[in-house]
Amino acid sequence: MVDKHLMVCEVRWPGREEASLTVELASDGTIRRADLYGIGGPAFLRALCDLRARLTGSWREVPLPTGNHPGALLLRELLLKARGEWRFPYEDEELCHCRAVPTAVVDQAICRGAHTPQKVSSMTSASTACGTCRPDVEAIIKYRLQQP
Ligand code: FES
């Protein structure tokens, strides 16, 4: 019997950073082997090296990357997805129906620094008509920035 569990996860933002994580776990949940690779700018690669150094011991206790720079947000997503803990708060493809703004566009704006609903509106035009979608924009900001 093979005493291991293998997880593979990839996250990429078109035209920007991307990361790939493969983790092999022992039956007690400790990390037996972890391969983390990525492509991106210097800040992203520093965050990636920091996370790589922390991929030891209990898989469930590896701390999530901190900070709100795009690299930290991407690596947090990667780790949460690899653990099966990614709970993105909005499921539909289109978030703002008045302006026909896709959810992915709103999410990308948040990841690129639009950390308030006003900034998301100015970058994407979402929430600039009836305002019904604004709570969903706020929920994504809160989730991405890990705000309680
Ligand atoms: S649904 Fe977004 S402004 Fe109306």
Side-chain angles (χ1 to χ4, degrees):
M1 183 175 155
V2 178
D3 177 31
K4 67 179 181 181
H5 180 63
L6 192 66
M7 286 170 295
V8 179
C9 187
E10 292 183 355
V11 177
R12 69 174 43 91
W13 291 340
R16 290 181 55 107
E17 295 87 358
E18 61 182 76
S20 167
L21 173 64
T22 302
V23 180
E24 183 182 318
L25 299 180
S27 58
D28 65 356
T30 58
I31 298 170
R32 180 177 282 168
R33 182 178 63 87
D35 297 320
L36 175 62
Y37 303 103
I39 299 170
F44 172 70
L45 294 177
R46 276 194 299 278
L48 186 128
C49 288
D50 183 51
L51 177 58
R52 185 184 289 143
R54 289 185 278 116
L55 290 171
T56 62
S58 170
W59 168 235
R60 293 284 164 197
E61 293 174 18
V62 172
L64 293 173
T66 57
N68 292 329
H69 61 86
L73 299 185
L74 181 77
L75 294 173
R76 214 152 51 215
E77 177 181 344
L78 179 71
L79 200 53
L80 288 170
K81 283 183 172 174
R83 286 176 172 164
E85 297 172 355
W86 180 248
R87 307 281 183 267
F88 196 75
Y90 192 80
E91 297 295 326
D92 294 346
E93 196 169 309
E94 184 177 271
L95 188 140
C96 179
H97 307 303
C98 292
R99 302 294 188 211
V101 181
T103 304
V105 168
V106 169
D107 187 43
Q108 288 291 305
I110 293 166
C111 292
R112 293 178 189 197
H115 295 167
T116 65
Q118 295 79 10
K119 287 183 182 169
V120 171
S121 292
S122 68
M123 283 178 73
T124 69
S125 80
S127 302
T128 57
C130 76
T132 303
C133 62
R134 188 176 170 120
D136 298 316
V137 170
E138 291 169 346
I140 296 172
I141 292 171
K142 191 173 173 180
Y143 185 72
R144 274 290 186 187
L145 303 185
Q146 298 280 296
Q147 295 169 340

